[in-house]
Amino acid sequence: PIIGQILHSTKKSQLVVSEFPKSNISESFRSLRTNIQYIAKEKGENETTTILVTADMASAGKTYVSINLACIYAQYGRRAVLMGFDLRKPKIYQDFDLSNRLGLTSYLIGKNNIDEIIQPSVKVDHLDIILSGPVPPNPAELIASDKTAELFKELRSRYDYIIVDTPPAALVTDPYLLMDYTDVNIFLVRQYL
């Protein structure tokens, strides 16, 4: 089903929901949040909802949607974590002015523990971020490891919402591997005029 339409942003910042909370774009993300609740309604009120965002191609806006969806849940007063599972072309760290030195890749290879890779967002209350970390030579193999299952299990005990930014599904297998751990999968299609 089509669950929402996000307006095009002409703002320089990717954090539109956080920086312009009364904008029409922010309202379109609130509408998306409500529609996701209907899709995930069979989950209990106190259970974590995990949302994966992917797209048909690069530059469709999946990271933009992931960031703002995470912000809209955080503004809702819920504990949210944004995961940068695009291990091939990470971008989230730039938008939040964070270091990408540690992240999912360093956790998945056993170099760091979960508490070392979670970074609080200094820009949005109630939002934590787990960046991708250094670009690995084998993203799909890392994602398919048992450490990914351990990671999601631990995050479900800590957060109300987990938003997962992934590479485009039409180009790589990574999003499909992650769908084993998600409740709602958003496939973003950009409309070009």
Side-chain angles (χ1 to χ4, degrees), residues 52 54-55 143 166-182 187:
L52 179 140
T54 190
I143 292 169
T166 69
L171 303 178
V172 295
T173 188
D174 305 11
Y176 299 106
L177 295 170
L178 291 164
M179 287 179 188
D180 283 342
Y181 310 106
T182 58
F187 189 84

Side-chain angles (χ1 to χ4, degrees), residues 5 7 12 23 26 29 32 38 80 89 100 109 119 126 143 156 173 192:
Q5 181 177 0
L7 302 173
K12 288 187 178 185
S23 68
S26 294
F29 277 102
L32 181 60
Y38 285 116
K89 287 186 172 182
N100 198 38
I109 63 170
Q119 299 184 55
H126 308 291
I143 292 169
R156 283 183 178 274
T173 188
Y192 292 95

Side-chain angles (χ1 to χ4, degrees), residues 53-121:
V53 180
T54 190
D56 60 339
M57 67 173 116
S59 301
K62 61 180 187 47
T63 301
Y64 169 77
V65 169
S66 298
I67 288 171
N68 285 287
L69 192 57
C71 289
I72 208 77
Y73 279 112
Q75 284 181 351
Y76 198 41
R78 303 291 195 233
R79 296 168 302 153
V81 63
L82 172 61
M83 300 177 72
F85 250 112
D86 188 343
L87 304 182
R88 297 163 192 271
K89 287 186 172 182
K91 291 187 344 187
I92 293 174
Y93 71 97
Q94 297 167 338
D95 298 308
F96 285 93
D97 298 323
L98 296 170
S99 169
N100 198 38
R101 190 175 53 84
L102 302 176
L104 291 165
T105 54
S106 53
Y107 171 84
L108 294 173
I109 63 170
K111 186 177 177 183
N112 294 103
N113 67 41
I114 191 168
D115 294 311
E116 293 172 323
I117 65 168
I118 296 173
Q119 299 184 55
S121 166

Side-chain angles (χ1 to χ4, degrees), residues 113-146:
N113 67 41
I114 191 168
D115 294 311
E116 293 172 323
I117 65 168
I118 296 173
Q119 299 184 55
S121 166
V122 294
K123 296 185 176 187
V124 182
D125 292 338
H126 308 291
L127 178 63
D128 287 338
I129 300 170
I130 300 176
L131 299 172
S132 64
V135 176
N138 56 346
E141 288 75 13
L142 283 179
I143 292 169
S145 74
D146 293 339

